[in-house]
Amino acid sequence: MLDQVDISGMGPRRIGRLAAFDGLMLEATGFQQPIGANARVIDADGHAALAEVVGFRGDRTLLMALDADAPHSCGARVEPDRRGTKVDVGEGLLGRVVDALGNPLDGLGPIATKSRWPLAGRRGNPLDRARVVEPFDLGVRAVNALLTAGVGQRIAIMAGSGVGKSVLMGQMIAGADADVIVVGLIGERSREVSDFLATKLSGEVRGKSVVVAVPADHPPLLRLRAAMRATAIAEHFRAQGKRVLLLIDSLTRVAHAQREIGLSLGEPPTMKGYPPSALGLIPRLVERAGADARSGGSITALYTVLADGDDTDDPIVDTARAIVDGHIVLSRALAEQGVFPAIDVGKSLSRVMADIVGADHAAAARTLRRLWSAYEENRDLILMGAYREGSDPMIDAAIAHHPLILDFLRQGQKERIDMNVAIATLIGSFGA
């Protein structure tokens, strides 16, 4: 049955009815709205819950509930929600913490914004994307010297659970040379959100930061929207010509959310149960970051990627590694030795480093990498005592320099190392 409600100045508004609900997916009849449109499901007692159109099945519209605990009843009214697919953006967001729908979580009152930006971003011309030619100081010695980042680069931080991804992100936030910092905390424990704000976004950094937080117990659509909202906010500031640092923790949780949505819509599971839409989401999200040649602004993006079971060939890890401009792999073995940040130099790479560093810097970084590789390839022989000193000059040098390399990688959580200092230290220890 289809109701029509006449609103002055707007014409008839189509009202549908809830016909089915299986705990995550709602089916409505008589509700003809495009994919991505918002809706309100109003039960007989007047309780209203938000949902989003995600697909169609015959003449029924499929919606994903944004409130998993809503007491829906058969025949409930389904009305269009005017908030649509745009998000509020502006200077008023700086220093604030919001949820996936833009509601403030910090208890500081309403957020005054004057602009709106598409949640899914604005599709641009690839030729408007500027090259990465300027170094970006992240305040971490090993990253600045060995994996030098550039303004507009997209970097994935890959590791298993409990190896220090969030800690490394906190160090980069404190040391980053950015006008605006946008953080998306997606699918993490609620305790970690307050801990992140207290320990990693305190002081002056908080005033230029925007945090979008959606814990793990929220519906998958909200987790997905949080990543898209954080990216949309970063795009708005980039369009104003600002240098933005975007951090998404974690990209894997975003893919998990899309997996839940895709499987609910009947998509076939492929590798490790991921439907095609979950793997296709990653390039769509990551490609929105980068430098803009028209505005002069940039989004330098960091994405944490959880390697389930420390499997670096996991589909999400592999997909992310293929689309980003560099990746930092954290080693559990180094973490167990007390080396933090536990960066595996041999497996990590910055694809833009060759374009933004000098010849002396590049040569010193190559020397350290060769020494690291020689030691790792012969680690078992060295630790067993099977290697005889003098058999290979490179291995001898690797053994002699290994403690120096580990000291170079180590850095305290609250310690900030300027890029020039990091480069000078690298060249002084491993230069020609």
Side-chain angles (χ1 to χ4, degrees):
M1 180 178 180
L2 179 66
D3 298 333
Q4 289 191 347
V5 180
D6 189 19
I7 300 177
S8 179
M10 294 181 60
R13 182 175 57 161
R14 303 180 71 86
I15 306 299
R17 294 291 179 183
L18 185 61
F21 177 48
D22 63 4
L24 190 64
M25 193 70 64
L26 299 90
E27 296 185 21
T29 58
F31 188 73
Q32 299 178 5
Q33 294 291 325
I35 290 178
N38 283 3
R40 286 182 300 158
V41 182
I42 304 175
D43 294 304
D45 59 0
H47 179 275
L50 286 176
E52 180 181 315
V53 177
V54 294
F56 305 98
R57 183 175 293 141
D59 60 352
R60 292 190 176 190
T61 300
L62 304 180
L63 303 100
M64 183 73 70
L66 296 178
D67 184 357
D69 300 321
H72 297 304
S73 59
C74 185
R77 291 163 58 90
V78 182
E79 300 181 353
D81 187 85
R82 297 173 63 185
R83 276 171 281 196
T85 58
K86 292 196 173 185
V87 302
D88 295 322
V89 293
E91 301 290 333
L93 285 169
L94 296 177
R96 304 301 302 270
V97 183
V98 300
D99 64 11
L101 300 176
N103 302 315
L105 298 176
D106 48 18
L108 299 179
I111 300 174
T113 56
K114 297 181 180 179
S115 304
R116 291 174 66 78
W117 192 271
L119 183 66
R122 295 174 179 169
R123 188 178 296 275
N125 187 332
L127 297 182
D128 290 335
R129 187 61 53 85
R131 293 183 61 230
V132 179
V133 294
E134 181 184 353
F136 189 94
D137 190 350
L138 288 169
V140 179
R141 178 170 50 226
V143 176
N144 282 342
L146 302 175
L147 305 165
T148 311
V151 175
Q153 185 177 3
R154 291 83 51 86
I155 305 170
I157 303 174
M158 304 171 174
S161 57
V163 184
K165 297 185 299 298
S166 297
V167 173
L168 179 57
M169 285 188 75
Q171 289 180 290
M172 291 177 172
I173 289 174
D177 179 19
D179 300 322
V180 177
I181 298 173
V182 182
V183 182
L185 300 177
I186 298 140
E188 301 297 329
R189 294 179 287 273
S190 297
R191 175 194 61 79
E192 289 186 332
V193 176
S194 56
D195 180 74
F196 192 94
L197 295 175
T199 61
K200 300 177 178 64
L201 277 182
S202 57
E204 297 180 359
V205 177
R206 182 70 178 270
K208 62 178 182 180
S209 302
V210 183
V211 179
V212 182
V214 176
D217 59 344
H218 285 55
L221 197 53
L222 287 181
R223 284 177 265 145
L224 179 58
R225 276 196 166 207
M228 297 176 70
R229 178 176 287 271
T231 306
I233 293 171
E235 287 175 321
H236 164 74
F237 286 112
R238 177 181 63 186
Q240 293 183 327
K242 295 183 182 287
R243 178 181 291 194
V244 183
L245 177 65
L246 171 66
L247 303 101
I248 301 293
D249 186 13
S250 72
L251 190 63
T252 304
R253 305 300 185 197
V254 179
H256 287 177
Q258 182 61 43
R259 177 172 63 182
E260 293 182 50
I261 296 171
L263 293 178
S264 297
L265 287 170
E267 285 189 60
T270 53
M271 294 184 294
K272 288 196 174 182
Y274 288 102
S277 64
L279 300 179
L281 168 69
I282 294 175
R284 291 203 310 273
L285 191 64
V286 171
E287 275 295 295
R288 292 170 62 180
D292 187 353
R294 292 178 300 174
S295 69
S298 64
I299 299 176
T300 304
L302 300 172
Y303 304 93
T304 64
V305 182
L306 176 64
D308 292 328
D310 290 345
D311 181 10
T312 54
D313 292 325
D314 179 85
I316 298 301
V317 175
D318 202 40
T319 302
R321 183 167 47 217
I323 194 65
V324 294
D325 305 314
H327 54 273
I328 300 172
V329 178
L330 302 185
S331 165
R332 189 174 299 277
L334 285 175
E336 291 170 350
Q337 296 174 39
V339 178
F340 290 100
I343 298 174
D344 189 325
V345 177
K347 295 180 180 178
S348 303
L349 177 69
S350 172
R351 296 180 182 175
V352 304
M353 182 174 174
D355 298 327
I356 57 179
V357 303
D360 292 344
H361 179 183
R366 285 195 299 269
T367 299
L368 189 149
R369 282 180 172 275
R370 282 197 298 269
L371 294 171
W372 177 275
S373 177
Y375 187 91
E376 291 300 313
E377 288 177 1
N378 297 277
R379 168 182 288 274
D380 292 341
L381 293 176
I382 296 170
L383 296 181
M384 287 189 302
Y387 174 75
R388 295 179 58 185
E389 184 179 355
S391 300
D392 188 316
M394 176 57 73
I395 299 177
D396 291 340
I399 295 173
H401 285 85
H402 194 65
L404 183 61
I405 294 175
L406 294 183
D407 287 340
F408 186 83
L409 296 179
R410 285 190 182 96
Q411 183 173 328
Q413 288 190 29
K414 297 184 179 180
E415 187 180 4
R416 186 190 186 283
I417 308 296
D418 180 80
M419 177 173 286
N420 293 328
V421 174
I423 294 171
T425 304
L426 176 68
I427 295 175
S429 301
F430 300 95

